[in-house]
Every structure is written in structure tokens, then in C-alpha cells.
Amino acid sequence: MAFFRSVLAQMIICGLIALLGPGLWNANNSLGAGGALLPYLVNGGNSLVFGLMGLFCILSPIFVNWIGVKKTLIAGTLGWSVYSAALYQNNRFGTEWFVMLGAAICGISAGLYWAAEGSIVLSYPEHAKRGRYLALWLAFKNSGQLIGGAINLGLNADRSTGGKVSWVTLLVFVILQACALPLAFLLSPPEKTHRTDGTKIVVESKTTTREQFRLLWKTITTRQIGLLLPVFFASWFYWGYASTFLTLYFSVRARALASFLSAITGTIACTIFGFFLDSQRFSVKTRIRVGFLLSCGLFTLMWIWVMIIQHQWEGRLDKLDWSSPGFGRGFGMYIMLGTIGNMVQNYLYFLIGTVGDGTSELSRGTGLLRGVESWGQCASFGISSSKFSPFYTTVINVVFWTLSLVPAAFAIWGVEDRRKLDQERESELEAGSSVESIPKPEISEKVSEAK
């Protein structure tokens, strides 16, 4: 029972849910357009998913305050299998309306999931272990893509031409994703979870819905969060382009291989990066700044490679298989783009966890992060649902991403160091065992002008 109430156990439960839910969903989308023959209908469905997800991510703190983080997480596990079922119907029988209905259900559910999951992953662990627990969670999520990629590759390895994936692949995903719901019931609520250092998880008292809207608006309008909103939007804006790129230029089994390999490289990169973000050899301020330069700098350089490849391949009609000449140039670009994109996501979650505390405050922060990210994906898949030039899509990505880095740098260079862990622990222990007695740091207290 002691282990069941530990932070590690909660991270494993959240990780398994991430594996079965968004992990397998990402594996499906890493095939390019959900494994479909053409990307346009599924890209439209994905655009609807992310549009609704963004709205409900931002509003999810109201649900966390109303029914608690655990019940919000349970509600958030309901939509993944429905959308996969819709893609299965479309793949096997050509049903189109179910794709849009499944997208709407998945978008609402996923919005609740992401904010609740992010709040749990960032508020349950003690501050000194947040980076590595975040890496563990992302490793589980990427493992879902790894398992899904292995399923994709095993069922489609003999298909060296273009087309859609086997419908059996999608049926397996439906069954596995449905298992996420019962796992969510195993999560311990924050007041019953035990940290190894003896500190308590901050849980704010329930307030009225009006007060939650006020707090949400207060969070949005802080200088720091306001400056970060553009990079939140731009950080996942590339995914619609990446999915379309894979569908347009690669064979079915090459797409399945991409789904498999991108999970491996993403997991390794995020795990190593997570250990750096938790390193006690450097101050939090140094880790935040170096992490920004490393992840966002590499992502910026990647877009040079992307633009070169896309310009050369514009108008190309043949499908590249892994035995085709020139396969590695574009395939390697796709793998690296996804890998570094995962590092950027890892970094942004760590950043939000650094400037916030408590389940409600972090649900607002992670809700805004994932919500605005989702709107970026919504716009990206919306553009890719038409036959808009992929090269001009890369130009839009480069412009959005580059412009977003300027305000983000101002916000990041304004983050001051947290209290040292031993001081934090001492003050929390002196405050007593009551969860509500732990002081909740305000975002504004952690921000100052860059020196």
C-alpha cells in the first residue's frame, strides 16, 4: 500500500495512461494522416480535435476545481478510442461523418486529459525530481508510440508502395486505447499521495466558478505567461506539415518505420534532457536558460534542413520506400524534426512547472500551455487539410517560430531562481502536515526584470 500511494506509483499510472491514450494516438498520426490514403479528411478531423482540445484545456481548471483532478483525468480518457474507431470505420468502410464526430468527442475529452495529466505530473513530485519524472512520463508516452509503431511496422512491412495502412492496425489501437479508462481509477488523489521528502502536495481549496475564471484571467494576463503564449502556439504548429510530408512522399511501410523510430529517438532525447533539467550542479535559472537555447536553438536549425528538403521535393509524385535512392535525406529530416519537437515540449512543461505550484495553479498553467499548443496544431492541420503548397507551409512555420522566440526569451530571462530545495522543505515541514497550510507562491513573485 505504501508504494501504491507513492509519487512513483502515480507517475507509472499516468505513464501507462499516456502510453495507451495519446501515445498510441501519436503512433497512429506518425503514420501520416492516421494511416489514410490521402491526408485531407483526416487532417480536417485532426484540426477539429485540436480546436476543441485547446478550448477545453484552457477551461479544464474549472473542472479540476469542481470535481477534482482524478475525476477530470477519468473523463479525459474517454475519447481516444472513439476517434481511433472512427478512423477504422473510414479506413475499412469509407465512412466520413464518423471521423468528424469522433474528432469532436476526442477533442473535448483530450482537453480535460491534458490539463489534468500535466497538473498531476508537475504537482505530485517534489521540485528536485520534476524533470526526471516528466522525462519518465514522456518516456511512457513515447513508448506508446513505440509499441504502436511496432504494430504498424509488423502489419504493414510488406507494403512498399503508397496507400493506406491495414485496417487491422487501427482495430488493435481501438482495443488498447479503451484500456486507459480503468487505469485512471487507480490514481491516488493528491491528499493521499506521499512524497519521499515528507513534504505535502499543494491542493488549493475549492472556489466558485467565477473565482476560477478570475484566476484564469489573472494567469493569462501576467507578463510572463503572456510573453510565452506565442511560443506555446508555434511549438506544435509544425505537426500538420510533418504528418502531410510523411503521407505525400513515403510508402506505407516507410511511414510505419517512421512511427517506430521517432518514438525511440524521442524517448532517448527527452530522458537525457530531463536529467540535465534536474541537475543540481546548476541553478534553476541556468538550467532554464541553457535548456531554452539547446531545445529551441536546435529546433530553429532544423527548419533550415526542412526548407531545403521541401524545396527540392516540391511537386514530387513518387512514393519513397526504404530501398529508394535519396530515402534517408527526407526520412532523417522527419525523425529529427519529431525528436527535437519532443525536446521542446519537454522543456516547456518543465518551465511551467518551475513558475507554478499546486494542482489548481499548475492545471491553469498546463491547460494554457497545452491549449495554445493545440490551437497551433488546429491551425496547422487546417492548412494541411487543403492542397496548400507544403513549401509555403514551411515558410509560415519558420516565420511563426522565429517571431515567437523573441518574447519567449524575455520571459525566460526574467525567471529568478526558486528557493533552494532544503529551504523549501524546511519551511513546508514547519508549516505542519496540513496540505492547505503550505504557502502557494504567486507567479508574479518569481519574475523580475532580466539583469
Side-chain angles (χ1 to χ4, degrees):
M1 181 59 71
F3 176 74
F4 179 72
R5 297 298 186 189
S6 68
V7 173
L8 177 58
Q10 312 318 307
M11 295 303 103
I12 291 174
I13 292 170
C14 287
L16 289 172
I17 294 171
L19 184 156
L20 294 171
L24 292 179
W25 194 91
N26 285 343
N28 195 8
N29 272 272
S30 293
L31 284 168
L37 173 63
L38 295 174
Y40 308 111
L41 172 65
V42 178
N43 282 346
N46 286 343
S47 181
L48 179 58
V49 167
F50 291 119
L52 290 172
M53 185 195 301
L55 176 62
F56 278 85
C57 274
I58 294 172
L59 295 179
S60 62
I62 297 170
F63 292 91
V64 172
N65 174 73
W66 178 33
I67 61 177
V69 68
K70 179 177 179 177
K71 292 180 180 177
T72 305
L73 178 66
I74 291 171
T77 62
L78 298 174
W80 307 108
S81 59
V82 176
Y83 190 41
S84 292
L87 295 178
Y88 160 77
Q89 282 287 114
N90 176 254
N91 182 291
R92 189 175 183 184
F93 304 110
T95 308
E96 296 186 353
W97 65 267
F98 193 18
V99 172
M100 305 310 292
L101 176 61
I105 295 172
C106 184
I108 294 170
S109 175
L112 300 177
Y113 164 82
W114 278 110
E117 181 92 338
S119 175
I120 293 165
V121 171
L122 293 177
S123 66
Y124 275 42
E126 48 269 49
H127 291 296
K129 295 182 179 179
R130 282 185 177 174
R132 69 194 71 175
Y133 276 129
L134 179 59
L136 175 66
W137 171 65
L138 286 172
F140 268 106
K141 183 170 74 70
N142 287 339
S143 295
Q145 185 175 336
L146 177 63
I147 294 170
I151 295 170
N152 289 334
L153 190 58
L155 294 175
N156 299 282
D158 59 340
R159 308 185 67 184
S160 60
T161 59
K164 57 186 180 181
V165 302
S166 167
W167 58 264
V168 179
T169 307
L170 298 172
L171 187 59
V172 172
F173 284 179
V174 173
I175 296 170
L176 291 175
Q177 287 177 319
C179 297
L181 176 61
L183 277 175
F185 284 92
L186 299 178
L187 184 78
S188 291
E191 61 272 10
K192 294 183 180 180
T193 302
H194 305 302
R195 287 174 170 173
T196 55
D197 64 355
T199 59
K200 299 293 183 178
I201 299 172
V202 180
V203 181
E204 294 86 344
S205 301
K206 289 186 178 181
T207 60
T208 62
T209 300
R210 181 176 181 179
E211 176 65 9
Q212 283 296 312
F213 273 111
R214 188 191 71 80
L215 291 172
L216 179 61
W217 180 250
K218 180 181 177 181
T219 301
I220 295 172
T221 55
T222 58
R223 175 181 178 273
Q224 186 179 38
I225 295 297
L227 290 173
L228 290 173
L229 291 179
V231 79
F232 291 172
F233 182 91
S235 64
W236 271 111
F237 185 72
Y238 76 94
W239 193 238
Y241 163 75
S243 178
T244 302
F245 175 85
L246 198 63
T247 307
L248 290 178
Y249 301 122
F250 294 94
S251 68
V252 171
R253 68 179 184 180
R255 290 155 62 184
L257 180 64
S259 175
F260 181 71
L261 288 182
S262 59
I264 297 176
T265 57
T267 299
I268 294 172
C270 287
T271 300
I272 296 172
F273 192 40
F275 277 105
F276 165 74
L277 293 176
D278 267 349
S279 174
Q280 299 303 302
R281 296 177 59 186
F282 309 101
S283 68
V284 173
K285 181 193 298 185
T286 299
R287 281 178 272 153
I288 286 177
R289 294 179 179 182
V290 173
F292 172 73
L293 293 174
L294 181 62
S295 60
C296 297
L298 286 174
F299 199 60
T300 304
L301 293 175
M302 266 304 305
W303 280 107
I304 300 175
W305 187 5
V306 172
M307 291 187 72
I308 292 173
I309 295 296
Q310 186 57 64
H311 184 265
Q312 293 174 348
W313 287 16
E314 191 78 354
R316 186 170 190 158
L317 299 177
D318 59 314
K319 304 288 186 180
L320 290 173
D321 190 48
W322 57 51
S323 59
S324 304
F327 168 80
R329 295 175 67 246
F331 188 82
M333 179 271 285
Y334 173 85
I335 297 297
M336 290 301 298
L337 184 65
T339 300
I340 300 173
N342 274 316
M343 289 178 62
V344 173
Q345 185 189 31
N346 193 352
Y347 172 76
L348 292 177
Y349 268 94
F350 178 81
L351 179 63
I352 288 295
T354 300
V355 300
D357 204 2
T359 54
S360 292
E361 184 177 348
L362 283 171
S363 69
R364 290 191 292 273
T366 56
L368 279 171
L369 166 59
R370 196 66 189 98
V372 177
E373 278 182 345
S374 297
W375 281 339
Q377 289 173 290
C378 172
S380 179
F381 277 108
I383 292 171
S384 298
S385 66
S386 65
K387 296 184 179 180
F388 189 72
S389 166
F391 177 74
Y392 289 122
T393 302
T394 65
V395 174
I396 295 172
N397 269 275
V398 170
V399 171
F400 276 6
W401 175 250
T402 305
L403 292 178
S404 74
L405 294 179
V406 178
F410 278 105
I412 289 163
W413 257 253
V415 176
E416 290 297 327
D417 280 327
R418 268 190 173 277
R419 296 169 295 181
K420 292 183 180 179
L421 182 62
D422 54 351
Q423 295 173 336
E424 180 184 84
R425 181 181 179 184
E426 180 182 351
S427 64
E428 289 176 346
L429 290 174
E430 288 177 355
S433 60
S434 171
V435 171
E436 286 77 13
S437 66
I438 300 174
K440 182 183 78 169
E442 293 293 334
I443 289 178
S444 59
E445 294 174 354
K446 304 185 189 75
V447 182
S448 68
E449 295 296 329
K451 295 182 180 180

